Amino acid sequence: MTDRAKHDAMANAIRALSMDAVQAANSGHPGLPMGGADIATVLFTKFLKFDPKAPHWPDRDRFVLSAGHGSMLLYSLLYLLGYEDMSLDDLKNFRQLGHKTAGHPEYGHAEGIETTTGPLGQGLGNSVGMAIAEAKLRAEFGPDLVNHYTYVYAGDGCLMEGISQEAIALAGHLKLKKLIVIWDNNDITIDGKVGLADSTDQRKRFEASGWHTIGIDGHNPDEIEKALAEAQKSDKPTLIDAKTTIGFGAPNKGGTNKAHGSPLGDEEIALARKQLGWDHPPFEIPEDIMDAWRLAGNRGTKERSAWTDRLNAADAEVKSEFERRQRGALPAEFKPALEKYKKQLAEEKPKLATRASSQNALEVINGVVPETLGGSADLTGSNNTKTSQTNSFTAEDRTGRYIHYGIREHGMVAAMNGIALHGGLYPYGGSFLCFTDYCRPSIRLAALMGIRIGLVMTHDSIGLGEDGPTHQPVEHLAALRAIPNLRVFRPADAMEAAECWELALEHQSGPSLLALSRQGLPAVRTEYSAENLCARGAYTLWGEKDAQVVIFGTGSETQFALEAAKQLTNEGISARAVSVPSFELFAEQPDDYKRSIFGNAKARVAIEAAVEQGWDKFLGPTGKFVGMSGFGASGKIEDLYPHFGITTQAVIEAAKAQL
């Protein structure tokens, strides 16, 4: 078999499996895998560094299928290359419940799936973070241990989504030369030709953003190979503009939107088989073609073995640190440093905005946790995300621990997801809480994947004052708390901020968000506790167990809950103040603990400078809420809270109304 004949047969195996799986499911996208099969065959057999027997090998190349609707391309490859947990039965049950072959690739479902993609452009954003992580860790541990590429397969839709510009601008600015994006330029979207909605010269757009670009025929293996080799040598990130035919091989539907998001149908599949010269039954791969693919899958074993030898030969301290980072374990110094800091806070009782308290906690954390990689969407001075240890990560200096993401909230969080997925680093990044609207899709995917990132969201209420309702979040806490597997923390003071950061770093299976105040807040926790009280989600801050009134508060409003409880008690109405830094952690507590928080109080009141949604679990059918019911206003903080009725007196009146 000639090299070209062998290539064609191997690529056609991808095409056949993809169109057969989509047909069996009667649902899916056959066009992209059929059009991208030639590119995937060259990439995975000649360039990509990986080992199916060690899918988590830290120095593997990363492959991101940003155009996640073409998932059968990836699933076919994983099966053909010999990933043990991707079976033929999974392919036959594409998109069916209980199988690894979900409609769009989902991180954690099968080895070899590097990230969850589906919302277009997210994979491209993730890949920028992966390339940042590679560059950062290479600067720390050297090229003997970290030296790999990140490859992305992206479609027209990925490049149309706005996040793509945020991602490519950052990558070009940082000169992430080991990032290679292959654009499946098939000129087709669901509605029809790309020209219906877009006439952008994509190559010029990428070049303007600091990228190297190459144009090729995406069905010519020699051109594909030459382009990939050229991209590896570039001193910039590279876009390979690969002109392809969607549904390649389908004589009637190929090259049209009819091959995009629907099964081809039995008749068209039969014609495609004939045109491709593939006369094998559905899901059957001839032995010689399967052997060729499995041989390609074994290609990385020798290189991985050599890498393992280099790791074992490294200095014992370097090896230990590298392996700890890969496990995601925190340094032994972490706990003692935070305990010492909490004791200091109990003595000093500082009055600080929680954004400043967060920065002080990060100063301690960054001093003992070298894998933190901070950043902000151009709000460093407002988010307080930079500390003395975090010099800037730049195109010239990869040793820095702080990324200036620019005004790119969506791209920032997508990149943070990529950094976390890569492994070896803990990314955190800041913006205003109101602007979680701009990055919510990336936050949602972090929660869906269960990955560890830290979101520092400041200016968390009408307390930010004069910037007005465009910047004052009211519905955002409720909206974020509605995302499954996202921990939303709203600390009340410096002690709670430290404890919330501790919980965020220790949490291995999901993102954490800290909603932080602009205005100064008094210390409500004035005693040292070895136990992390915030870990319970809600705890009694002050008052007796069997109080008549229980008052719940979060963040900047916890002080009002505390003042109201004390005033009521002075008036002869026993009251208890409960701080609620995390709804999610409280929901995880056993029933007896929850009962101890609610007690037998006749009156329940909650206060938060936000909308009421979500507080029903604390208030029950008769409790009262003190907070916002509409948007905020521009004005001084001391005027805004009384204007909207968020006061100690309002809490007292709400409590008395229930007695």
Side-chain angles (χ1 to χ4, degrees), residues 2 119 215 240-241 286 443 465 584 646:
T2 65
I240 298 175
D241 170 1
I443 296 173
E584 296 78 25
I646 302 174

Side-chain angles (χ1 to χ4, degrees), residues 368-379:
V368 293
V369 184
E371 62 264 36
T372 53
L373 185 61
S376 171
D378 198 56
L379 289 167

Side-chain angles (χ1 to χ4, degrees), residues 103-277:
H104 295 82
E106 294 192 35
Y107 174 71
H109 279 214
E111 306 291 6
I113 300 174
E114 299 285 4
T115 180
T116 295
T117 54
L120 293 178
Q122 281 290 334
L124 185 56
N126 296 160
S127 72
V128 174
M130 293 176 180
I132 287 171
E134 191 276 343
K136 173 76 176 83
L137 291 171
R138 181 157 32 96
E140 281 194 71
F141 292 99
D144 279 353
L145 296 184
V146 184
N147 191 10
H148 54 266
Y149 291 89
T150 301
Y151 295 93
V152 186
Y153 197 86
D156 291 299
C158 295
L159 302 194
M160 278 195 217
E161 288 286 359
I163 189 176
S164 71
Q165 184 56 40
E166 296 187 22
I168 69 172
L170 181 62
H173 175 71
L174 291 173
K175 297 182 181 178
L176 299 173
K177 65 180 183 178
K178 306 201 84 170
L179 174 59
I180 299 171
V181 174
I182 302 160
W183 169 30
D184 180 31
N185 181 6
N186 61 37
D187 197 37
I188 294 293
T189 64
I190 289 175
D191 279 0
K193 290 282 188 180
V194 167
L196 286 169
D198 191 58
S199 54
T200 303
D201 186 325
Q202 295 290 356
R203 286 186 65 178
K204 286 183 179 177
R205 179 167 78 106
F206 275 75
E207 287 166 3
S209 297
W211 287 58
H212 174 53
T213 70
I214 308 167
I216 63 167
D217 175 354
H219 299 299
N220 184 320
D222 293 333
E223 288 191 27
I224 297 165
E225 183 173 352
K226 183 180 177 183
L228 288 167
E230 181 182 330
Q232 287 188 340
K233 295 184 179 76
S234 175
D235 61 354
K236 301 176 180 179
T238 297
L239 172 75
I240 298 175
D241 170 1
K243 192 62 187 167
T244 62
T245 300
I246 192 170
F248 181 91
N252 299 308
K253 296 184 178 182
T256 75
N257 60 337
K258 292 179 181 178
H260 187 289
S262 304
L264 295 176
D266 292 333
E267 183 178 339
E268 184 76 358
I269 287 176
L271 292 172
R273 276 182 149 76
K274 185 176 181 181
Q275 182 160 309
L276 294 168

Side-chain angles (χ1 to χ4, degrees), residues 536-540 545 550 552 576 578 582-601 604 617-618:
R536 294 279 201 170
Y539 64 93
T540 296
K545 179 180 178 181
V550 60
F552 305 99
R576 189 158 48 89
V578 174
S582 170
F583 281 29
E584 296 78 25
L585 287 177
F586 183 66
E588 295 173 9
Q589 301 309 307
D591 288 343
D592 60 343
Y593 181 78
K594 292 176 184 175
R595 284 193 291 269
S596 75
I597 290 298
F598 295 128
N600 299 312
R604 296 184 187 181
K617 67 189 77 175
F618 291 91

Side-chain angles (χ1 to χ4, degrees), residues 47-127:
F47 288 89
L48 201 75
K49 182 173 69 171
F50 67 103
D51 186 351
K53 296 182 181 63
H56 300 289
W57 172 25
D59 201 36
R60 69 191 181 279
D61 289 339
R62 270 52 169 188
F63 175 74
V64 175
L65 182 63
S66 186
H69 55 273
S71 56
M72 272 308 305
L73 176 70
L74 181 55
Y75 300 151
S76 299
L77 285 164
L78 297 179
Y79 167 66
L80 291 167
L81 290 163
Y83 282 80
E84 291 181 1
D85 67 341
M86 183 59 70
S87 68
L88 188 60
D89 187 55
D90 284 315
L91 300 192
K92 290 178 178 179
N93 287 279
F94 176 53
R95 289 187 163 218
Q96 305 308 303
L97 185 65
H99 290 269
K100 300 180 180 71
T101 45
H104 295 82
E106 294 192 35
Y107 174 71
H109 279 214
E111 306 291 6
I113 300 174
E114 299 285 4
T115 180
T116 295
T117 54
L120 293 178
Q122 281 290 334
L124 185 56
N126 296 160
S127 72

Side-chain angles (χ1 to χ4, degrees), residues 424-437:
L425 296 164
Y426 175 82
Y428 68 86
S431 185
F432 288 170
L433 183 64
C434 205
F435 300 151
T436 53
D437 286 341

